[in-house]
Amino acid sequence: MNHLRSTLFLVLLAVVPPAHAGDGNRLTYLDGNDLYYPSRKFPKLTTPMWVGEDGVEAVVVLAIDDMRGHQKWEAYLRPILQRLRRIDGRSPVSIMTCQIDPKEPHLQKWLKEGLSLEVHTVDHPCPILKDGNFERAKSTYDRCVDMLASVPNSRPVAFRTPCCDSLNTPSPRLFAQIFNKTTAKGNFLTIDSSVFNVTTADDPALPRDLVLEKDGASRFAKYLPKDRTFVNTIEDYPYPYVIGRLCWEFPCATPSDWLAQHLHGSNNPATVRDWKALLDATVIKQGVFCLVFHPHGWISNEQIVDLIDYADKKYGKKVKFLNFRECQERLNKNLLGGQPLRDPKTGLDNGVRLLDLNNDGFMDVVIGNEKVKQTRLWSPKRRLWITNDFPVLLVQYLEWPPESKNDRLEPARFGILRPNGEVSLLLNPGFGFELPHRRRFGAWRFSGTSWVEISLLFGGLLKNPGSKFPLSYSTHAGHFRDLNRDGLCELIVSREKGGIDGGDQVIFTWSTKEQEWIRLP
């Protein structure tokens, strides 16, 4: 009965939030493979933060789907490529490819013009995990990645799931067990563009005439299938974000040409009218406009040229057309200080995390790997990155290069432990390994400009004060979660059998008064 009362008490705390509590769970996305965590209030990653070019306010990525052989795509794209070339001598379009001969000479012509060749699966299954056949899904993805990696002078970086504008094709499993892995040949990708961003009238930054029809209806939500079973969307977040620590998500613009023809027929002028309004909104938000289109008669190439004309004439250098490969290069160089999310050789976690350290509404970056330990704080007023030290490795490997991808340790966890909302970092001590020249445990808080070590943050975790390691649990460590919604995180620990403290599931709460962790019932 006492156990039941304790459980009910914790459940009640979880469903009845205290007034005026901060968001203690604002960093939990760092631990999982959630596709849909960004929202209008989530910290922004605006174009000036990563594009590396003065005066550029927004990026447009034109990404055409379904390529099988090059002839149809060449004929459709040629007027579009010629119009793009008039802007700055480049033709930046990404082609999401199903099947192509890697030795086809025309691919080299495209690459020289500025196109990139990207991945769309060999077999185009809708959805990709159709019938629950995981091996088939992984095979059609891996074969396509390896095929395009064999094209001379090219390396694919981006992926789009087939039918992502009509079916709920992406999933957490897709990212955790397919995208964020490598193929048998060691190839991997770094960008996905399968989730659709819907711009709504709830965004106060946008003029009403851009987001509403004359009758007050939503300009962009009207394109979503009316049966409401299509939920592959986020709202009011036209910015890149990270899924599962290893994948950049570039959200797609709503509508795609398929969504548009599904609503009001092929080649409808209203589609281009709404795309122009969406481009205006994207420039205001300093975001990315990732257009999904096809050469299947749903939108004409003249209409795509019309959209390019509009962007060029109205915004000039404020809008930059890039392909996915160029986006990845600029993210690595200008945002991440040369340290990509995935190790360039192995595809493994490179110890890079994006989080809003000072809670100012803009993303910051921390890097903790064998080459660099750096904190990168964005200054919106000065429009530049301010760099400082970072105290620890975010990912540790027992061997390098690792003999097994299971040789990874993830000892660091971020959470909110102080009433002022500061970010805290706990270097998890519970692995039972002594790695040479590596710090085993420690804790820090971010002061607003730098990391300050907290010497007392392990109080209460030491069941036996003479123990070398305060806790003993799996290599995925504990997790910070605000269970009672008071704005502060609890520490959830799953301890292995045979460990120093025995095997059980434990929840600790930090006591500011006692300056130690208190074990909850």
Side-chain angles (χ1 to χ4, degrees):
M1 183 60 70
N2 288 336
H3 173 73
L4 178 60
R5 280 197 292 265
S6 298
T7 302
L8 288 173
F9 176 68
L10 285 175
V11 170
L12 285 171
L13 285 176
V15 298
V16 183
H20 310 299
D23 185 2
N25 286 322
R26 68 183 182 88
L27 303 179
T28 59
Y29 68 90
L30 291 169
D31 295 338
N33 291 283
D34 182 8
L35 289 65
Y36 306 114
Y37 64 84
S39 65
R40 184 171 54 258
K41 296 182 180 180
F42 191 74
K44 300 183 288 290
L45 183 63
T46 62
T47 294
M49 299 170 69
W50 63 271
V51 76
E53 194 168 335
D54 290 342
V56 175
E57 301 292 322
V59 161
V60 175
V61 178
L62 303 177
I64 188 170
D65 281 5
D66 296 352
M67 185 167 73
R68 295 175 180 272
H70 73 280
Q71 292 90 345
K72 180 179 180 179
W73 279 258
E74 163 60 25
Y76 181 88
L77 285 174
R78 185 48 50 188
I80 298 171
L81 303 181
Q82 290 173 340
R83 178 60 184 93
L84 287 169
R85 189 179 303 117
R86 286 166 47 195
I87 297 175
D88 59 9
R90 302 158 47 252
S91 300
V93 170
S94 290
I95 304 180
M96 318 311 289
T97 306
C98 293
Q99 295 185 32
I100 195 73
D101 180 357
K103 297 181 181 179
E104 167 55 53
H106 195 81
L107 301 184
Q108 298 303 309
K109 172 180 172 63
W110 274 342
L111 293 171
K112 290 178 181 178
E113 289 182 288
L115 286 78
S116 72
L117 305 174
E118 310 297 352
V119 173
H120 201 42
T121 74
V122 170
D123 304 306
H124 201 276
C126 292
I128 187 171
L129 289 166
K130 185 178 181 180
D131 302 323
N133 192 326
F134 176 78
E135 293 304 322
R136 184 171 62 195
K138 181 168 174 52
S139 172
T140 191
Y141 172 88
D142 285 359
R143 284 181 288 131
C144 197
V145 172
D146 288 339
M147 174 188 68
L148 290 171
S150 69
V151 175
N153 305 310
S154 177
R155 178 180 177 181
V157 300
F159 173 64
R160 179 171 291 146
T161 52
C163 303
C164 60
D165 53 353
S166 57
L167 299 173
N168 302 313
T169 58
S171 69
R173 189 184 189 191
L174 171 66
F175 291 95
Q177 298 183 15
I178 297 180
F179 187 98
N180 284 346
K181 303 295 184 180
T182 62
T183 71
K185 294 182 178 181
N187 296 312
F188 59 90
L189 305 179
T190 52
I191 290 176
D192 176 75
S193 188
S194 303
V195 176
F196 279 76
N197 177 61
V198 183
T199 301
T200 78
D202 295 329
D203 191 335
L206 298 177
R208 300 300 84 186
D209 63 327
L210 291 184
V211 294
L212 295 176
E213 302 280 13
K214 291 181 180 179
D215 62 0
S218 171
R219 182 188 290 269
F220 304 109
K222 70 174 183 283
Y223 286 100
L224 301 181
K226 295 299 187 290
D227 60 9
R228 309 307 298 171
T229 59
F230 179 69
V231 294
N232 182 36
T233 60
I234 58 175
E235 290 186 350
D236 300 322
Y237 197 82
Y239 310 108
Y241 61 96
V242 178
I243 299 174
R245 303 181 180 181
L246 303 183
C247 171
W248 282 107
E249 179 64 38
F250 271 66
C252 305
T254 301
S256 69
D257 63 343
W258 184 92
L259 284 168
Q261 65 83 30
H262 185 68
L263 174 69
H264 51 211
S266 298
N267 305 325
N268 194 314
T271 300
V272 181
R273 177 204 68 184
D274 289 345
W275 277 345
K276 291 176 180 178
L278 184 58
L279 179 65
D280 292 340
T282 303
V283 174
I284 292 171
K285 299 293 291 185
Q286 297 184 326
V288 294
F289 182 108
C290 297
L291 185 64
V292 180
F293 65 111
H294 307 73
H296 303 330
W298 299 331
I299 202 76
S300 71
N301 50 15
E302 289 88 353
Q303 289 173 301
I304 301 294
V305 169
D306 184 18
L307 178 64
I308 297 170
D309 278 338
Y310 180 79
D312 186 28
K313 293 175 181 177
K314 182 170 183 177
Y315 293 108
K317 294 183 178 180
K318 284 188 176 182
V319 169
K320 187 74 175 182
F321 287 87
L322 297 174
N323 62 43
F324 280 128
R325 184 189 65 250
E326 293 169 331
C327 289
Q328 182 63 81
E329 291 170 350
R330 290 176 183 239
L331 285 168
N332 291 347
K333 179 181 179 181
N334 304 311
L335 173 72
L336 304 182
Q339 296 295 312
L341 297 179
R342 304 186 73 163
D343 181 271
K345 293 183 179 180
T346 66
L348 296 176
D349 189 338
N350 199 34
V352 178
R353 304 287 183 267
L354 273 74
L355 65 164
D356 184 357
L357 288 172
N358 54 5
N359 209 14
D360 67 348
F362 292 88
M363 278 295 190
D364 305 300
V365 180
V366 293
I367 304 168
N369 59 36
E370 301 284 354
K371 297 179 180 179
V372 176
K373 290 198 284 291
Q374 186 180 86
T375 301
R376 299 174 61 81
L377 197 69
W378 176 251
S379 172
K381 292 182 179 180
R382 299 168 62 188
R383 285 198 170 195
L384 55 79
W385 290 97
I386 300 170
T387 61
N388 208 330
D389 295 334
F390 185 69
V392 299
L393 295 175
L394 287 171
V395 178
Q396 298 181 11
Y397 295 92
L398 303 183
E399 302 288 343
W400 189 262
E403 296 181 2
S404 165
K405 292 179 174 58
N406 294 322
D407 284 347
R408 179 185 67 194
L409 305 178
E410 298 176 4
R413 286 291 183 265
F414 296 92
I416 308 300
L417 301 177
R418 298 167 65 87
N420 63 3
E422 281 183 345
V423 174
S424 294
L425 166 65
L426 183 68
L427 183 62
N428 203 315
F431 298 115
F433 297 104
E434 285 220 40
L435 300 177
H437 312 299
R438 312 275 176 86
R439 184 162 187 173
R440 292 199 307 274
F441 60 90
W444 295 259
R445 65 177 180 85
F446 189 73
S447 69
T449 57
S450 61
W451 294 94
V452 179
E453 188 161 10
I454 310 170
S455 60
L456 298 177
L457 199 55
F458 284 90
L461 294 181
L462 282 165
K463 185 174 181 180
N464 175 5
S467 170
K468 179 179 290 187
F469 299 103
L471 297 171
S472 180
Y473 40 88
S474 74
T475 57
H476 288 289
H479 292 279
F480 283 123
R481 292 292 185 273
D482 181 3
L483 298 178
N484 59 6
R485 301 193 190 182
D486 65 350
L488 305 177
C489 289
E490 282 69 49
L491 176 62
I492 305 173
V493 179
S494 177
R495 302 194 285 195
E496 294 176 338
K497 293 181 179 180
I500 293 171
D501 293 325
D504 56 2
Q505 321 307 315
V506 189
I507 299 175
F508 295 95
T509 185
W510 176 252
S511 170
T512 303
K513 180 179 178 180
E514 302 295 334
Q515 288 292 290
E516 67 177 21
W517 291 96
I518 306 298
R519 180 170 174 168
L520 293 174

